[in-house]
Amino acid sequence: MDKGYEKEPFVTVKIKESVMKKFRSYCKQLGCSQSMTLLVMLEFFETSGISPKERMDSKMQTLESLVKKRINHVIAVIKEQEKTQTKPTLSMLKALFEGAALKDTPKFVEKKPKKKPPKFVEKKRDVDEL
């Protein structure tokens, strides 16, 4: 039973048989009763301001162009934000970190040669011993 409409009586409407077959198959596709399907269709046409007699082609094209314009505007805002905020901030942070790294390490480091112990040591003899 349809929620909210249980106490209302049924009323007949005269519809051609071929149209009624089509309508019943559409109701089965939606999974609603015939009354609810008709109510949903009427509410859709009333809220969207679309007439079932006019074609949607021109309205769909205008809707599509409006959506594309909005998307392009959002992309432009993101690119502008990237130029003015993200990239300068990133470069300042890099400069700070590189500057801190440079201060910690000296520019020039003196390399001291390693002293290796000699392999052979010559003994000194006194002249008297000879």
Side-chain angles (χ1 to χ4, degrees):
M1 214 46 173
D2 303 329
K3 292 182 181 179
Y5 296 95
E6 291 91 4
K7 295 181 182 179
E8 289 189 26
F10 286 98
V11 180
T12 59
V13 178
K14 289 187 177 187
I15 300 175
K16 300 287 182 183
E17 188 177 347
S18 62
V19 176
M20 193 61 199
K21 285 181 182 179
K22 244 182 171 176
F23 182 69
R24 283 186 180 148
S25 67
Y26 185 70
C27 293
K28 286 179 184 177
Q29 285 178 354
L30 288 181
C32 297
S33 67
Q34 293 174 15
S35 300
M36 290 281 80
T37 303
L38 190 57
L39 180 66
V40 168
M41 290 168 68
L42 288 172
E43 287 176 350
F44 170 76
F45 287 124
E46 287 174 352
T47 55
S48 62
I50 300 171
S51 171
K53 288 185 177 181
E54 45 181 73
R55 290 304 240 173
M56 288 291 292
D57 295 340
S58 62
K59 287 193 177 190
M60 292 302 282
Q61 288 172 351
T62 55
L63 268 172
E64 185 180 354
S65 66
L66 285 172
V67 169
K68 283 183 180 179
K69 284 180 184 177
R70 295 307 302 163
I71 289 173
N72 288 337
H73 181 70
V74 169
I75 290 170
V77 167
I78 291 172
K79 284 183 179 179
E80 182 65 28
Q81 189 176 27
E82 194 176 70
K83 287 178 190 173
T84 59
Q85 294 175 5
T86 309
K87 287 184 180 177
T89 306
L90 180 66
S91 62
M92 287 191 305
L93 285 172
K94 279 184 180 178
L96 283 173
F97 285 121
E98 287 173 359
L102 290 176
K103 288 179 183 176
D104 292 343
T105 58
K107 288 185 179 180
F108 301 105
V109 179
E110 180 181 346
K111 291 184 178 179
K112 295 181 180 179
K114 294 180 182 178
K115 291 186 178 179
K116 295 181 183 178
K119 291 182 180 178
F120 302 103
V121 178
E122 186 179 323
K123 291 184 178 179
K124 290 185 180 178
R125 292 186 180 178
D126 287 332
V127 181
D128 297 321
E129 287 182 20
L130 290 173

